[in-house]
């Protein structure tokens, strides 16, 4: 009975063979001797149960090879279903074959977004190896370029004789997908968004895209673009509306507002006001925008009447400025630790109180291996004419290059301007004690008045790659009042960033300082100069370059440093740098013989600012030094 059952099962299998021959997977072949041997073995085995349903096909693991230009290959590898389903246990051979058949149509759609509308694409499946290999071959052909741009602007007319007409020609010149450029879907969408964004930044915040079309001729490889933008009403600023104040007076916000009712809308003005409010420290969050509540009501009314309607503006519209704030906690304590190759390990504590006799108090205690400091400052709220006044006092101890300097000071400061152009005037009374080796300590005092101006023009304050920043300081203690030696002081420093190609940045840095006096030894060393360190001449220790006095390095009358650095971002946010620094400090201008340092470094654009690790060789001292810095310091 067992032999009969086995024979029946074999006959049944043979009967199924012709049907299986039509499958894309060929049935395995066997010889007559193999079949007889298998039948004899099956005689001694129990009969297997008949299958209830057809067995499922086994999952298949496969590789994908895409032959295409690199940019298109990256696009296809990120979006083709062949790639997305690879490694999925639910994909069997039949499903893989279907994915391969669909790949050319998918690829055609994808490469069209890059401007290739006449590609030649083929696909196939190679099953000769241990695992199947799906191949996709892409010949993109000639890309489609922009043949013409029809930019239609509706509205944009001044409603007052005193208003300047909208510069439509300049707007067209800023169109980012010009004639002759390759037509890419992402660039097309970006150009439209960017155009509306530029318009909305001044005068016409309610500008909107009315219509757009791109007519592509694959045979001529040309795309004809049309964009229609309506300006909406000409918007002017209205009164200030403030929400969220509980403890503080509205005058804190009003005094910082330099926007007057009736001024033409300008987004930069709102951003400036928001930045000034954030800098006060009174608020944890600040949001400055136009009050659009009336506009929303109009839109809801239009929808209820059958849909939005675009109408030409009939006159300027005045919209209030809405300021929403969340007040900070009155008292705040923060602590931190760190390390610097200039001054060693660091521990710091800051304590702020937003209402001490109606003033904001900021205090901090800093302990570093080579530097200790304690200070407190009291700030008045900014006045209506934009002045920020403060008074403070502090104690500072520094042990650098064999010279221990202890400074006690009180000061009064007035600051004004904007984040791009800061100005300040500072009157300071200080007493300084200096100890070098075993020499008797010397004491000096001075009452200098210092004017400082800082100009910033950067693409980013956190991680700049283009622009410049410059600072000029002019100070003097001309009268013998609380001053041992009258003197004058000038100091200027600048940093310039210039992009070099898509991945490189050239950084140029320089500084110069000079002090004029009869007796330099009676001028507090705080106002003199030394060089060397992370932000000066790399390859030398912190303030290592100066005037040798015994075993110490004392500061000099003059300072001159310069630096050239090239940063290459090979895999953002990671980069590498090469640099050359030079500079020195001396008592005579002719003795400013530059000390040179050069080296290489690693860069990382971290969320809190750029981190730089540099290895520099100081040519004058024949030593290699490691430098580490966090953030952009100026």
């Amino acid at each position: 009975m067992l032999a009969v059952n086995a024979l029946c099962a074999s006959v049944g299998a043979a009967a199924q063979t012709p049907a299986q021959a039509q499958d894309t997977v060929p049935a395995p072949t066997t010889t007559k001797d193999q079949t007889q041997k298998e039948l004899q073995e099956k005689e001694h085995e129990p009969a297997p149960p008949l299958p209830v349903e057809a067995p499922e096909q086994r999952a298949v693991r496969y590789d994908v090879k895409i032959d295409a230009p690199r940019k298109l290959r990256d696009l296809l590898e990120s979006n083709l279903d062949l790639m997305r389903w690879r490694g999925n246990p639910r994909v069997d051979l039949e499903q893989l074959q279907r994915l391969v058949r669909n790949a050319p149509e998918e690829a055609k759609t994808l490469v069209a977004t890059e401007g290739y509308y006449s590609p030649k694409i083929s696909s196939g499946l190679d099953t000769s190896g241990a695992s199947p290999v799906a191949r996709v071959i892409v010949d993109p052909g000639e890309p489609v370029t922009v043949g013409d741009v029809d930019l239609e602007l509706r509205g944009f007319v001044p409603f007052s004789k005193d208003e300047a007409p909208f510069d439509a020609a300049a707007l067209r010149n800023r169109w980012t997908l010009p004639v002759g450029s390759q037509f890419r879907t992402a660039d097309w969408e970006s150009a439209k968004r960017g155009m509306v964004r530029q318009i909305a930044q001044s005068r016409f915040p309610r500008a909107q895209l009315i219509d757009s079309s791109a007519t592509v001729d694959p045979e001529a490889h040309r795309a004809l673009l049309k964009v229609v933008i309506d300006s909406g009403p000409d918007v002017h600023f209205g009164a200030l509306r403030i929400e969220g104040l509980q403890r503080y007076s509205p005058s804190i916000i009003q005094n910082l507002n330099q926007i007057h009712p009736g001024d033409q809308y300008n987004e930069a003005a709102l951003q400036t006001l928001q930045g000034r409010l954030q800098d006060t420290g009174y608020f944890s969050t600040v949001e400055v925008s136009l009050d659009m509540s009336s506009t929303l009501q109009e839109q809801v009314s239009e929808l209820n009447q059958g849909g939005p309607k675009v109408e030409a503006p009939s006159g300027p519209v005045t919209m209030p400025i809405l300021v929403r704030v969340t007040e900070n906690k009155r008292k705040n304590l923060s602590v931190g630790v760190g390390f610097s190759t200039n001054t060693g390990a660091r521990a710091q504590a800051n304590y702020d109180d937003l209402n001490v006799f109606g003033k904001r108090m900021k205090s901090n205690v800093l302990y570093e291996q080579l530097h200790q400091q304690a200070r407190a400052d009291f700030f008045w709220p900014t006045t209506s004419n934009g002045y920020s006044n403060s008074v403070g006092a502090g104690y500072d101890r520094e042990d650098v290059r064999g010279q221990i300097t202890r400074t006690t000071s009180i000061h009064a400061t007035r600051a004004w301007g904007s984040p791009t152009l800061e100005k300040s005037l500072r009157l300071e009374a200080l007493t300084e004690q200096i100890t070098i080796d075993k020499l008797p300590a010397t004491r000096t005092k001075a009452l200098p008045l210092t004017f400082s101006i800082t100009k910033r023009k950067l693409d980013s304050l956190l991680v700049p790659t283009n622009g410049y920043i410059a600072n000029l300081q002019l100070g003097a203690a001309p009268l013998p009042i609380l001053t041992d030696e009258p003197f004058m002081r000038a100091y200027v420093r600048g940093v310039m960033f210039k992009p070099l190609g898509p991945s490189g940045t050239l950084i140029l840095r320089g500084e110069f300082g000079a002090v004029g006096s009869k007796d330099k030894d009676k001028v507090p060393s705080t106002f003199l100069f030394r060089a060397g360190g992370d932000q000066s001449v790399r390859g030398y220790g912190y303030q290592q370059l100066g005037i040798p006095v015994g075993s110490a390095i004392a500061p000099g009358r003059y300072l001159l440093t310069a630096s050239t650095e090239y940063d290459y971002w090979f895999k953002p946010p990671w980069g590498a740098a090469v640099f050359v620094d030079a500079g020195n400090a001396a008592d005579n201008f002719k003795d400013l013989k530059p000390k040179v340092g050069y080296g290489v470094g690693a860069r990382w654009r971290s969320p809190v600012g750029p981190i730089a690790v540099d290895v520099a060789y100081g040519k004058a001292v024949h030593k290699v030094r490691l430098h580490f810095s966090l953030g952009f310091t100026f």
Side-chain angles (χ1 to χ4, degrees):
M1 179 64 70
L2 294 177
V4 173
N5 288 339
L7 181 59
C8 291
S10 300
V11 173
Q16 294 176 359
T17 301
Q20 292 176 351
Q22 299 177 0
D23 200 313
T24 56
V25 182
T29 59
T30 58
T31 65
K32 181 178 179 180
D33 293 339
Q34 290 174 327
T35 304
Q36 293 292 339
K37 183 178 180 181
E38 290 173 357
L39 291 175
Q40 292 174 2
E41 292 175 348
K42 289 180 179 294
E43 291 179 357
H44 304 285
E45 297 178 358
L50 292 174
V52 179
E53 58 183 9
E56 295 183 359
Q57 293 209 35
R58 297 177 60 184
V60 60
R61 300 185 65 85
Y62 63 92
D63 295 322
V64 180
K65 302 293 184 182
I66 298 176
D67 183 6
R70 180 175 179 178
K71 190 173 183 179
L72 296 181
R73 185 169 67 248
D74 294 342
L75 174 69
L76 297 176
E77 288 178 349
S78 301
N79 295 278
L80 276 181
D81 285 347
L82 266 172
M83 300 297 298
R84 293 193 293 113
W85 283 94
R86 188 174 59 171
N88 192 304
R90 299 174 59 186
V91 176
D92 56 28
L93 186 60
E94 182 180 351
Q95 291 169 324
L96 174 59
Q97 291 170 334
R98 184 167 58 252
L99 291 173
V100 172
R101 289 194 300 269
N102 294 341
E105 194 63 30
E106 281 186 75
K108 183 179 180 180
T109 302
L110 290 170
V111 300
T113 65
E114 294 296 315
Y116 298 96
Y117 283 80
S118 303
K120 296 179 180 179
I121 305 174
S122 61
S123 64
L125 183 63
D126 182 3
T127 59
S128 60
S131 60
V133 178
R135 299 185 183 276
V136 179
I137 302 174
V138 179
D139 178 7
E142 184 179 344
V144 170
T145 58
V146 177
D148 186 35
V149 179
D150 181 9
L151 182 59
E152 182 180 342
L153 303 178
R154 298 179 182 176
F156 298 96
V157 293
F159 298 100
S160 172
K161 295 181 179 180
D162 299 330
E163 294 180 3
F166 187 83
D167 194 345
L171 182 65
R172 289 185 171 90
N173 289 335
R174 293 197 295 269
W175 173 256
T176 58
L177 193 61
V179 173
S181 59
Q182 184 170 336
F183 178 74
R184 298 176 61 252
T185 302
D187 294 340
W188 166 233
E189 297 299 327
S190 176
K192 292 185 289 184
R193 290 194 303 267
M195 180 63 69
V196 176
R197 183 81 179 91
Q198 289 182 46
I199 296 171
Q201 288 178 349
S202 62
R203 293 184 61 177
F204 303 103
R206 293 172 60 183
Q208 56 183 319
L209 181 68
I210 300 301
D211 188 24
S212 67
S213 63
T215 304
V216 177
D217 185 346
E219 295 183 358
H221 305 289
R222 292 290 182 270
L224 305 180
L225 310 182
K226 182 176 181 180
V227 178
V228 182
I229 298 177
D230 186 90
S231 67
D234 190 356
V235 175
H236 291 232
F237 287 121
L240 201 66
R241 288 188 52 198
I242 302 173
E243 296 180 0
L245 284 179
Q246 297 178 357
R247 297 192 303 268
Y248 306 123
S249 170
S251 63
I252 293 176
I253 296 176
Q254 294 166 350
N255 289 344
L256 290 171
N257 179 31
Q258 297 180 343
I259 304 172
H260 303 93
D263 289 351
Q264 283 186 342
Y265 171 82
N266 188 293
E267 184 180 293
L270 297 180
Q271 293 177 343
T272 298
L273 175 58
Q274 180 168 306
R276 289 163 66 89
L277 293 175
Q278 289 172 332
D279 291 341
T280 63
Y282 287 104
F283 311 109
S284 58
T285 62
V286 179
E287 180 185 351
V288 180
S289 62
L290 285 179
D291 185 356
M292 304 290 287
S293 56
S294 59
T295 302
L296 292 175
Q297 292 176 0
E298 293 176 3
Q299 293 175 347
V300 171
S301 177
E302 290 174 348
L303 289 173
N304 291 335
Q305 295 176 7
K309 300 177 182 179
V310 178
E311 299 178 355
S314 59
V317 174
T318 299
M319 303 184 71
I321 301 172
L322 180 60
V323 179
R324 289 192 178 99
V325 298
T326 302
E327 295 178 344
N328 252 333
K329 296 179 180 179
R330 176 182 167 181
K331 299 178 181 181
N332 182 55
L333 174 65
S334 62
V335 295
V337 295
F339 177 81
S340 167
T341 51
N342 280 347
T343 53
R346 175 176 68 253
Q348 182 173 343
N350 300 308
Y351 174 73
D352 293 357
D353 192 324
L354 297 176
N355 192 3
V356 178
F357 304 113
K359 314 296 183 293
R360 181 189 180 190
M361 184 193 76
K362 298 179 65 177
S363 62
N364 80 295
V365 176
L366 172 69
Y367 182 88
E368 297 176 302
Q369 289 176 279
L370 302 179
H371 179 217
Q372 299 83 46
Q373 181 187 76
R375 61 180 300 162
D377 292 277
F378 296 85
F379 297 84
W380 277 261
T382 303
T383 64
S384 58
N385 49 12
Y387 291 112
S388 298
N389 301 317
S390 64
V391 297
Y395 172 78
D396 194 280
R397 181 185 182 277
E398 194 172 43
D399 183 358
V400 177
R401 299 298 158 190
Q403 175 178 303
I404 300 176
T405 305
R406 299 177 177 88
T407 305
T408 304
S409 67
I410 59 174
H411 52 265
T413 304
R414 165 167 283 191
W416 67 98
S418 66
T420 58
L421 185 63
E422 293 181 356
K423 302 175 184 178
S424 67
L425 195 62
R426 181 185 181 98
L427 180 64
E428 185 175 18
L430 61 86
T431 300
E432 186 180 86
Q433 177 181 303
I434 296 177
T435 304
I436 297 178
D437 295 337
K438 297 181 179 180
L439 299 175
T442 60
R443 294 179 180 272
T444 57
K445 59 181 182 293
L447 184 66
L449 180 67
T450 302
F451 171 75
S452 176
I453 179 171
T454 301
K455 172 67 176 178
R456 295 182 179 89
K457 189 176 181 181
L458 300 169
D459 58 344
S460 169
L461 293 178
L462 186 63
V463 187
T465 59
N466 192 15
Y468 67 89
I469 179 171
N471 171 254
L472 171 66
Q473 299 176 20
L474 298 174
L479 303 176
I481 302 174
L482 299 177
T483 301
D484 292 335
E485 176 67 26
F487 67 90
M488 298 183 65
R489 181 180 185 271
Y491 174 78
V492 60
R493 183 185 184 190
V495 181
M496 185 180 75
F497 300 85
K498 183 176 180 59
L500 293 182
S503 303
T505 304
L506 177 67
I507 304 175
L508 302 177
R509 186 182 73 239
E511 60 180 343
F512 172 77
V515 171
S517 66
K518 291 182 179 180
D519 187 353
K520 186 204 79 169
D521 294 335
K522 294 183 179 180
V523 176
S525 64
T526 302
F527 300 101
L528 301 175
F529 307 102
R530 281 180 288 203
D534 302 341
Q535 302 297 322
S536 182
V537 183
R538 286 164 288 189
Y540 301 87
Y542 177 56
Q543 296 192 0
Q544 183 179 357
L545 303 178
I547 312 301
V549 178
S551 62
I553 300 295
R557 292 177 180 267
Y558 297 97
L559 170 72
L560 181 63
T561 69
S563 173
T564 300
E565 177 175 318
Y566 175 73
D567 293 353
Y568 180 76
W569 303 95
F570 56 88
K571 188 178 181 182
W574 297 97
V578 293
F579 57 86
V580 177
D581 299 344
N584 208 345
D587 277 340
N588 298 298
F589 192 79
K590 63 180 181 180
D591 294 332
L592 280 175
K593 299 177 181 179
K595 306 294 184 182
V596 178
Y598 51 85
V600 297
R603 301 289 182 266
W604 178 43
R605 290 173 174 167
S606 74
V608 295
I611 293 178
V613 179
D614 295 320
V615 178
Y617 176 74
K619 188 175 180 180
V621 294
H622 305 290
K623 290 183 179 180
V624 175
R625 183 176 292 272
L626 178 68
H627 297 273
F628 173 84
S629 63
L630 169 62
F632 167 58
T633 304
F634 189 86

